[in-house]
């Protein structure tokens, strides 16, 4: 009879073992790499209770470990936590459970974790779930292959890749840490967030480190981050993104990129809903089509209107055209980009007030300026003045017309006045109702004075001696230049010309009415470039000091009597004659 009982016991034990997974009971590591540290020797926890309903129950000692084997509708409870599975090993001496098939852990009726297999430590109150793991709480669903969960801290951790979803967002990463109390996720490595708004538009965010609050739906990122949206792309290396309001607050090396423009700054706040952004600190706007670069301290961007406004510390424009570069500074710059949906909207740059221009040997200033980039025309308004080499041009308003990246014409309207300084520092002058100055290779080639034309030019002998002054009156005067000097002067209608020799010249004869020479107002590279393009100013190399040379003594020359030079004196040039056509 004792033998029969012994055989029956081992027969039942063998059946139970066949119904459980064919694995040796073991205690797996409960701490994943990077997870919060736990105590080396935890305090004895509340015993895990086996709830009624288990179909079969067997106990015994295996490999020196006291184990209870359970099969069918297994359920346990410890404090606020329930564990369900199809079968399990319960380690009675260690307060641990190894669960198999349809494993489910529920805490506080809010957090649910499902998986193929689980290990539960009742003393540490930790759980590791493996195989098709799905974690639910009221705000999100997380899927992964391995998940560690600390029931005391209510935190979850994975290192084998995870996928999170909520009603508006999906998020993938290689590693993740989730605090179920604060509802904050920390994602690392290959983070990919896709956010969908109520209209169905999607925003795609990628980086390597992201903190996401599942309550506020706000993402905090650190490190290079790229956000792609229907209205353009964003880039930053630190900042905050609200997936509900779609407002971004970037705090390091931030950029907005569209097919035509790139706007960047140290900090950037951008509202995707309103398509409006504000950039501050080292703000840069790049127009990709026409080599236009704007820099300033503050920039405001209206994406729907295609407008960007820069101000603060005298923003500057740089426009590269071939070998020539135009720099333009003002207190405020406004760039308007062309819009495919608006036929009449042209790419235009507005600048005001206190505008300054620097381009090669052309400098200028005015109160306000409009640059039509489609037609390459610059309009200068309110007391404009231009300097080209030794020439000064003024009028009530002006136009600078460009062709193939070079200045083609300067048009001066109303009270036009041109002053040119010659080699003897005399001032040649022309004035009239309007003046057209034609350029060739960025130098004045011809000047047409239209309406009430007057001219005053000094006649020189060999660029060293003044032989007189030519004064002319006409309805129209044309001046042709060669090598920066007047070649011919022609009066085309109702001419009246006089020549005044030097001994008859008076102060009034050297100035036309309205004459005003203003060299102190001429902008320099340093004043126009400012701090924004200071690096474009090439430092002058110091001249090398000449090496001292030894002078050899020469024999004394014979004394010769002084004789007058036999070199003939060049005859005086005739004054420029006025020709009537």
């Amino acid at each position: 009879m004792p033998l029969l009982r012994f055989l029956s016991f081992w027969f039942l034990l063998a059946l139970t073992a066949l119904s459980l997974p064919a694995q040796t009971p073991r205690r797996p590591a409960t701490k994943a790499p990077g997870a919060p540290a736990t105590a080396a020797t935890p305090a004895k926890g509340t015993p895990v209770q086996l709830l009624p309903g288990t179909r079969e129950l067997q106990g015994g000692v295996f490999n020196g470990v006291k184990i209870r084997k359970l099969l069918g509708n297994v359920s346990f409870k410890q404090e606020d936590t329930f564990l369900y599975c199809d079968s399990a090993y319960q380690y009675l001496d260690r307060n641990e459970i190894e669960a198999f098939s349809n494993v489910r852990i529920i805490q506080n009726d809010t957090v649910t974790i499902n998986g193929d297999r689980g290990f539960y430590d009742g003393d540490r109150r930790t759980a590791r779930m493996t195989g098709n793991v799905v974690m639910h709480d009221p705000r999100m669903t997380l899927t992964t292959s391995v998940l560690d969960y600390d029931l005391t801290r209510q935190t979850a951790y994975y290192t084998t890749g995870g996928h999170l979803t909520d009603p508006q967002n999906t998020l993938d990463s290689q590693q993740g840490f989730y605090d179920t109390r604060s509802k904050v996720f920390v994602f690392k490595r290959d983070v990919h967030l896709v956010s969908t708004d109520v209209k169905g538009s999607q925003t795609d965010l990628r980086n390597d480190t992201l903190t996401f609050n599942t309550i506020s739906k706000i993402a905090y990122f650190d490190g290079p981050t790229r956000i792609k949206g229907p209205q353009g792309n964003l880039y930053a290396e630190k900042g905050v993104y609200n997936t509900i309001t779609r407002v971004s607050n970037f705090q390091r090396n931030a950029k907005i990129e569209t097919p035509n423009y790139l706007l960047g700054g140290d900090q950037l706040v951008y509202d995707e809903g309103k398509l409006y952004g504000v950039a501050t600190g080292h703000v840069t706007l790049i127009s990709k089509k026409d080599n236009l670069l704007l820099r300033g301290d503050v920039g405001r961007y209206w994406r729907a209107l295609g407008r960007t406004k820069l101000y603060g510390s005298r923003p500057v424009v740089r426009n590269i055209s071939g070998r020539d570069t135009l720099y333009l500074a003002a207190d405020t710059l406004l760039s308007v980009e062309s819009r495919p949906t608006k036929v009449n909207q042209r790419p235009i740059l507005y600048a005001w007030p206190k505008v300054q221009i620097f381009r090669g040997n052309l400098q200028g200033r005015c109160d306000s300026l409009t640059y039509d980039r489609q037609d390459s025309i610059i309009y200068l308004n309110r007391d404009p003045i231009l300097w080209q080499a030794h020439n000064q041009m003024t009028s009530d308003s002006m136009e600078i017309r460009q062709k193939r990246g070079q200045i083609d014409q300067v048009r001066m309207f109303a009270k036009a006045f041109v002053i040119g300084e010659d080699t003897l520092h005399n001032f040649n002058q022309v004035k009239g109702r309007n003046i057209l100055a034609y350029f060739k290779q960025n130098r004045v080639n011809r000047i047409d004075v239209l309406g009430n034309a007057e001219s005053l030019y000094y006649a020189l002998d060999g660029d060293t001696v003044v032989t007189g002054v030519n004064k002319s009156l006409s309805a129209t005067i044309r001046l042709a230049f060669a090598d920066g000097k007047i070649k011919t002067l022609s009066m085309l209608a109702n001419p009246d010309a006089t020549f005044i020799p030097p001994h008859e010249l008076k102060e009034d004869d050297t100035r036309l009415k309205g004459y005003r020479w203003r060299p102190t107002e001429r902008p320099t590279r340093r004043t126009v470039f400012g701090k924004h393009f200071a690096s474009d100013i090439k430092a002058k190399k110091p001249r090398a000091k000449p090496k001292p040379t030894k002078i050899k003594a020469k024999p004394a020359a014979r004394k010769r009597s002084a004789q007058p030079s036999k070199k003939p004196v060049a005859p005086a040039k005739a004054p420029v004659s006025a020709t009537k056509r």
Side-chain angles (χ1 to χ4, degrees):
M1 191 68 179
L3 178 61
L4 182 61
R5 289 179 181 176
F6 177 78
L7 293 174
S8 299
F9 171 77
W10 283 107
F11 178 74
L12 288 173
L13 190 61
L15 287 176
T16 303
L18 289 173
S19 63
L20 291 174
Q23 291 153 348
T24 303
R26 60 187 180 87
R27 178 179 181 175
T30 59
K31 181 178 181 297
T38 56
T41 54
K44 196 73 174 175
T46 305
V48 178
Q49 301 176 14
L50 175 64
L51 300 179
T54 300
R55 190 169 67 245
E56 294 185 24
L57 172 65
Q58 292 293 332
V61 177
F62 301 89
N63 296 327
V65 180
K66 189 176 182 181
I67 300 175
R68 189 159 58 175
K69 298 184 178 183
L70 307 104
L71 179 66
N73 197 28
V74 182
S75 58
F76 297 94
K77 180 180 183 299
Q78 186 187 41
E79 299 179 6
D80 59 352
T81 304
F82 292 85
L83 187 152
Y84 304 93
C85 61
D86 289 345
S87 59
Y89 293 129
Q90 184 178 15
Y91 300 83
L92 300 176
D93 294 339
R94 298 196 304 231
N95 202 21
E96 296 172 355
I97 296 170
E98 195 170 357
F100 308 94
S101 184
N102 295 317
V103 182
R104 184 169 77 258
I105 296 176
I106 302 175
Q107 185 179 31
N108 291 327
D109 294 327
T110 56
V111 176
T112 302
I113 305 173
N114 296 281
D116 294 339
R117 181 172 177 174
F119 183 87
Y120 186 83
D121 188 326
D123 291 340
R124 290 184 172 87
R125 284 185 54 78
T126 60
R128 165 170 282 196
M129 198 78 77
T130 60
N132 300 310
V133 181
V134 180
M135 179 178 183
H136 298 277
D137 75 4
R139 300 185 181 278
M140 67 89 208
T141 299
L142 171 68
T143 58
T144 183
S145 58
V146 179
L147 183 73
D148 289 282
Y149 186 66
D150 188 318
L151 290 96
T152 302
R153 296 185 176 91
Q154 298 183 34
T155 56
Y157 190 85
Y158 65 85
T159 59
T160 56
H163 178 76
L164 177 146
T165 60
D166 67 19
Q168 293 84 30
N169 307 285
T170 63
L171 206 155
D172 296 271
S173 70
Q174 288 299 311
Q175 298 179 3
F177 176 83
Y178 182 45
D179 189 325
T180 64
R181 290 176 294 190
S182 65
K183 308 300 181 184
V184 173
F185 247 111
V186 178
F187 301 95
K188 289 182 179 294
R189 294 181 57 201
D190 300 328
V191 182
H192 182 199
L193 169 65
V194 178
S195 180
T196 306
D197 63 12
V198 292
K199 297 180 181 179
S201 299
Q202 288 189 341
T203 301
D204 187 293
L205 183 153
R206 295 177 185 269
N207 81 338
D208 269 353
T209 303
L210 183 74
T211 301
F212 184 68
N213 190 312
T214 60
I215 299 176
S216 64
K217 308 298 182 184
I218 295 177
Y220 305 84
F221 53 87
D222 194 1
T225 302
R226 291 170 176 82
I227 301 177
K228 293 183 179 181
Q231 300 298 332
N233 301 330
L234 304 174
Y235 171 86
E237 295 172 2
K238 186 177 182 179
V240 178
Y241 176 64
N242 191 318
T243 63
I244 296 177
T245 63
R246 297 189 175 276
V247 175
S248 308
N249 188 341
F250 298 153
Q251 299 170 13
R252 187 187 302 148
N253 195 21
K255 297 180 179 67
I256 302 176
E257 185 174 11
T258 68
N260 298 328
Y261 285 84
L262 177 65
L263 174 67
D266 292 341
Q267 296 183 338
L268 173 65
V269 177
Y270 184 67
D271 188 324
E272 287 186 58
K274 297 179 180 179
L275 300 178
Y276 171 73
V278 179
T280 56
H282 298 94
V283 178
T284 299
L285 174 68
I286 299 174
S287 175
K288 301 177 182 178
K289 289 185 176 180
D290 45 15
N291 291 324
L292 198 71
L293 173 61
L294 289 75
R295 288 179 179 171
D297 281 352
V298 182
R300 296 185 181 274
Y301 178 61
W302 294 267
R303 176 72 178 91
L305 300 176
R307 295 185 178 184
T308 305
K309 182 179 180 180
L310 272 71
Y311 55 92
S313 292
R314 299 276 296 167
V316 184
V317 179
R318 184 179 72 185
N319 186 202
I320 300 175
S321 300
R323 296 181 180 180
D324 208 357
T325 303
L326 169 69
Y327 292 87
L328 190 154
D331 287 353
T332 302
L333 300 175
L334 176 63
S335 175
V336 179
E337 60 185 273
S338 59
R339 309 287 291 170
T341 56
K342 296 184 179 181
V343 178
N344 296 326
Q345 185 162 318
R346 305 161 69 89
I348 295 177
L349 175 70
Y350 299 94
W352 76 93
K354 301 177 183 178
V355 181
Q356 291 180 315
I357 300 171
F358 193 98
R359 177 175 183 169
N361 64 350
L362 179 74
Q363 294 81 45
R365 62 189 307 154
C366 61
D367 186 67
S368 62
L369 177 147
T370 302
Y371 181 13
D372 186 333
R373 285 148 41 207
Q374 182 169 308
D375 292 339
S376 297
I377 301 176
I378 301 175
Y379 301 90
L380 293 82
N381 304 301
R382 298 186 61 181
D383 192 27
I385 179 169
L386 288 176
W387 293 268
Q388 189 277 324
H390 300 288
N391 301 306
Q392 173 186 289
M393 294 168 275
T394 58
S395 62
D396 285 352
S397 62
M398 290 186 189
E399 293 179 9
I400 301 176
R401 293 177 173 260
Q402 304 173 86
K403 185 180 292 185
R404 292 187 291 274
Q406 293 188 337
I407 298 174
D408 182 57
Q409 296 179 29
V410 173
R411 300 186 176 188
M412 292 161 266
F413 303 104
K415 300 179 182 178
F417 206 123
V418 177
I419 304 172
E421 186 178 15
D422 66 16
T423 56
L424 298 181
H425 305 293
N426 299 306
F427 297 100
N428 300 316
Q429 305 151 48
V430 291
K431 60 176 290 190
R433 188 182 302 119
N434 302 316
I435 292 180
L436 299 182
Y438 298 88
F439 285 69
K440 188 174 183 180
Q441 295 180 349
N442 288 328
R443 297 180 67 179
V444 175
N445 184 54
R446 192 183 90 199
I447 291 179
D448 289 346
V449 186
L450 310 175
N452 302 327
E454 297 182 48
S455 69
L456 185 156
Y457 271 83
Y458 286 81
L460 303 181
D461 179 16
D463 291 339
T464 58
V465 179
V466 175
T467 60
V469 171
N470 287 301
K471 297 188 72 173
S472 307
L473 293 173
S474 179
T476 303
I477 294 178
R478 173 169 292 173
L479 298 94
F481 292 79
D483 299 326
K485 300 176 184 178
I486 297 176
K487 185 178 181 181
T488 62
L489 184 150
S490 305
M491 292 176 285
L492 306 181
N494 303 321
D496 183 9
T498 58
F499 177 79
I500 306 172
H503 62 277
E504 295 181 11
L505 280 176
K506 298 178 182 178
E507 184 67 25
D508 292 342
D509 296 328
T510 62
R511 302 287 187 267
L512 295 180
K513 186 177 180 180
Y515 169 89
R516 186 183 170 198
W517 182 245
R518 301 156 63 179
T520 58
E521 300 178 34
R522 189 170 189 169
T524 63
R525 278 187 174 86
R526 197 168 299 278
T527 57
V528 177
F529 293 11
K531 69 176 184 179
H532 303 297
F533 287 97
S535 59
D536 286 10
I537 301 175
K538 295 180 180 179
K540 293 183 179 180
K541 295 182 179 180
R543 292 183 179 180
K545 293 182 179 180
K547 295 181 179 180
T549 57
K550 295 181 179 180
I551 302 174
K552 295 182 179 180
K554 292 183 179 180
R558 295 180 181 178
K559 291 184 180 180
R560 299 178 62 183
S561 58
Q563 295 180 356
S565 174
K566 294 182 180 180
K567 187 178 180 180
V569 179
K573 264 187 186 177
V576 178
S577 60
T579 60
K580 183 178 179 181
R581 297 185 181 178

